[in-house]
Amino acid sequence: MSSPPFGGSNEMPAVFPDWSPYPDLDSAARAYLRDPEVALEALFGVLRGASVLCFTLERFVNEVNGVWQEVVVCDGSRLVLWHGEDVAPGDGPVGAMTSSLRVVPLSTVTEVGCRRRLTRTPNGQARVDSIDVYLLLSSVDDAVPPPGVGEEEGRAPLRHDALRFGKTLDDGGPGQIARLEEFSRVVASLVGRPTL
């Protein structure tokens, strides 16, 4: 199954190819993302030869904006996040997209959480059918709180920034669930340790 290149047809398959069998970032991105060249150019421009210890990928179709894509890479001292999103109709020319890059030092990750939902098969064996991962950061979320929130004290409440990722059997399958869990374990093993 092939995906249209950047600026191509807006008709996207409902189910994307599985990236989980690919151990390296380049192959996984080319199998899964609609715009792998855009993502890899941005990521490798920052990584500059650093080892990729783990990564996770996400992609979905939004009814308003079209395709939303994300790659998160950990190189042992930082998280490098690439995000690509189609521009909403009327906000730019047809086929336009945004490409964003964010670098987060691992020293700013204060907490890693991983919640797995387990179900029982008919023979009683437990299996993971969804996973939610969060990385709490020391930076403060600069989102504007909704009206009325925090007004009684005369100030808006402070919320720490967080990165959140999830996979289910329907959205990604068992392979991507396992890869996201692996990603969370590698990042968790590095948090709080001195960086090189």
Side-chain angles (χ1 to χ4, degrees):
M1 179 183 302
S2 63
S3 303
F6 169 64
S9 168
N10 286 334
E11 293 181 24
M12 300 301 300
V15 178
F16 303 118
D18 185 9
W19 62 267
S20 66
Y22 300 93
D24 65 290
L25 176 61
D26 188 88
S27 297
R30 291 184 190 285
Y32 188 69
L33 299 178
R34 184 194 64 191
D35 304 296
E37 293 82 11
V38 176
L40 293 170
E41 178 184 10
L43 290 165
F44 290 141
V46 171
L47 290 169
R48 297 196 177 269
S51 295
V52 174
L53 299 183
C54 60
F55 61 90
T56 187
L57 302 162
E58 184 58 78
R59 174 177 161 185
F60 64 85
V61 175
N62 178 319
E63 291 179 10
V64 176
N65 290 13
V67 177
W68 186 96
Q69 306 166 88
E70 182 178 57
V71 181
V72 184
V73 176
C74 178
D75 69 358
S77 64
R78 60 201 169 152
L79 297 169
V80 183
L81 299 91
W82 176 82
H83 168 240
E85 184 173 5
D86 289 345
V87 173
D91 288 347
V94 174
M97 70 175 283
T98 60
S99 174
S100 306
L101 198 65
R102 179 179 181 188
V103 178
V104 177
L106 277 180
S107 60
T108 65
V109 178
T110 60
E111 186 177 318
V112 178
C114 178
R115 182 186 342 200
R116 301 181 311 156
R117 187 174 70 187
L118 304 171
T119 57
R120 298 268 178 206
T121 61
N123 66 3
Q125 184 178 7
R127 80 169 183 186
V128 180
D129 72 359
S130 72
I131 186 169
D132 292 303
V133 172
Y134 73 88
L135 309 179
L136 188 64
L137 306 178
S138 59
S139 56
V140 176
D141 185 353
D142 61 357
V144 177
V149 174
E151 290 178 358
E152 60 278 356
E153 297 93 27
R155 60 182 164 77
L158 293 179
R159 289 181 34 164
H160 283 274
D161 199 1
L163 304 173
R164 298 185 182 281
F165 313 98
K167 292 288 183 182
T168 66
L169 289 178
D170 293 333
D171 173 25
Q176 291 182 36
I177 289 173
R179 290 294 296 273
L180 180 54
E181 185 170 11
E182 174 191 1
F183 173 85
S184 73
R185 287 179 178 171
V186 171
V187 173
S189 74
L190 297 169
V191 169
R193 292 186 174 188
T195 56
L196 301 176

